[in-house]
């Protein structure tokens, strides 16, 4: 974490020096000092829009995770559901999320609902795919032992397959946390009255590039906090997940 902060500070210094040495106009690339000033002076409006976007991300994350887990459990339990649902799930990822945004705004309106659905769609596939892979790759020896001991299919699923698949689910949740802001911001770009995506569009249209970068900074900070916060929780909840990277001295 400390090294990450040092790296970030170094990049900021390089950015500041480059904008000054190259004489880049602020409407092309504002220096970090100007972005920091915008963060301070426009903190109230940034906080208002950030709260809207954070609500969309969190609600969409919960909905997408629940839907993804439910789908994975269903297709593992039912061969019929696997034959019908998996092609639909895979085909849904072939459609660009941005192409669905206008339809979702049309169907669910300009409020919170369309942004939540968009975020849930982005989150849904990595959770469903990783959890399904984890459930179907349980070591065969464990399954044979369970059947030898007379375990039912339900007991095998809940007491064997599910715990064994939790590390894979944890990886899917980490991916979902990283991509969660994408759906919410795309939805705000297509149609909304609040949120960081909405603020970015208006700042860009008014050539307030420092405010645009300030909104991007807040969005990035939210995404990083969500990822590392979830990662810390998952490390405690799934302590048996494999990890081969040792701590550097």
């Amino acid at each position: 974490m400390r090294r990450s902060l040092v790296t970030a500070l170094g990049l900021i210094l390089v950015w500041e020096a480059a904008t000054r040495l190259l004489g880049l106009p602020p409407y092309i690339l504002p220096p970090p000092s100007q972005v920091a000033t915008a963060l301070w002076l426009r903190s109230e409006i940034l906080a208002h829009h950030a709260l809207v976007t954070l609500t969309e991300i969190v609600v969409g994350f919960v909905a997408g995770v629940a839907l993804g887990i439910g789908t994975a459990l269903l297709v593992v339990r039912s061969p019929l559901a696997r034959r019908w649902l998996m092609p639909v799930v895979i085909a849904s990822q072939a459609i660009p999320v941005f192409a669905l945004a206008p339809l979702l705004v049309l169907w669910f309106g300009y409020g919170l609902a369309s942004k939540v659905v968009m975020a849930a769609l982005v989150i849904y596939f990595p959770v469903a795919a990783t959890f399904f892979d984890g459930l179907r790759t349980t070591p065969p020896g464990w399954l044979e032992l369970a059947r030898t001991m007379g375990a039912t299919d339900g007991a095998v699923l809940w007491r064997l397959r599910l715990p064994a698949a939790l590390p894979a689910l944890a990886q899917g949740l980490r991916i979902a946390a990283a991509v969660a802001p994408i759906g919410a911001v795309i939805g705000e770009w297509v149609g909304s009255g609040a949120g960081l995506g909405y603020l970015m569009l208006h700042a860009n249209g008014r050539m307030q590039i420092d405010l645009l970068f300030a909104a991007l900074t807040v969005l990035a900070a939210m995404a990083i906090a969500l990822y590392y916060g979830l990662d810390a929780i998952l490390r405690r909840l799934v302590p048996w997940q494999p990890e081969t990277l040792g701590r550097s001295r």
Side-chain angles (χ1 to χ4, degrees):
M1 188 65 178
R2 186 176 300 176
R3 290 185 179 181
S4 299
L5 292 175
V6 172
T7 302
L9 180 59
L11 291 174
I12 291 172
L13 292 175
V14 171
W15 176 7
E16 181 77 28
T19 55
R20 295 185 181 279
L21 292 175
L22 299 177
L24 296 175
Y27 62 84
I28 297 294
L29 182 64
S33 56
Q34 189 172 340
V35 176
T37 301
L39 280 168
W40 174 259
L41 296 178
R42 309 299 295 274
S43 59
E44 186 174 346
I45 188 171
L46 284 167
H48 167 71
H49 289 286
L51 181 60
V52 173
T53 301
L54 181 61
T55 302
E56 296 165 355
I57 291 172
V58 172
V59 178
F61 182 84
V62 173
V65 168
L67 187 60
I69 291 175
T71 300
L73 290 173
L74 179 61
V75 297
V76 164
R77 289 285 290 172
S78 172
L80 180 62
R82 190 181 313 154
R83 286 195 297 270
W84 285 96
L85 278 181
M86 288 308 295
V88 174
V89 171
I90 296 170
S92 68
Q93 298 305 300
I95 303 174
V97 177
F98 203 94
L100 292 175
L103 288 175
L104 295 177
V105 171
L106 177 65
W107 294 339
F108 296 98
Y110 287 87
L112 178 68
S114 59
K115 317 308 179 295
V116 168
V117 173
M118 180 66 67
L121 287 176
V122 172
I123 292 164
Y124 166 71
F125 184 76
V127 174
T130 55
F131 192 36
F132 175 64
D133 283 341
L135 289 170
R136 69 176 180 173
T137 55
T138 308
W142 297 4
L143 299 176
E144 292 176 5
L145 179 60
R147 293 190 184 98
T148 300
M149 299 177 67
T152 63
D153 289 342
V156 170
L157 175 63
W158 295 107
R159 296 182 179 273
L160 194 61
R161 287 187 182 273
L162 185 60
L166 287 181
L169 175 60
Q171 294 304 318
L173 292 176
R174 290 185 178 94
I175 297 172
V179 302
I182 295 175
V185 172
I186 288 177
E188 291 171 356
W189 284 348
V190 173
S192 67
L196 290 174
Y198 167 85
L199 181 61
M200 282 184 240
L201 279 181
H202 280 257
N204 187 54
R206 298 169 183 172
M207 297 300 292
Q208 297 174 325
I209 309 302
D210 55 346
L211 180 59
L212 188 153
F213 271 84
L216 281 172
T217 302
V218 174
L219 182 64
M222 286 168 44
I224 293 171
L226 178 62
Y227 177 87
Y228 281 106
L230 182 64
D231 180 66
I233 294 172
L234 290 173
R235 287 177 183 274
R236 290 182 176 274
L237 294 179
V238 192
W240 61 88
Q241 57 185 324
E243 184 172 350
T244 58
L245 293 177
R247 293 184 178 180
S248 59
R249 296 180 179 179

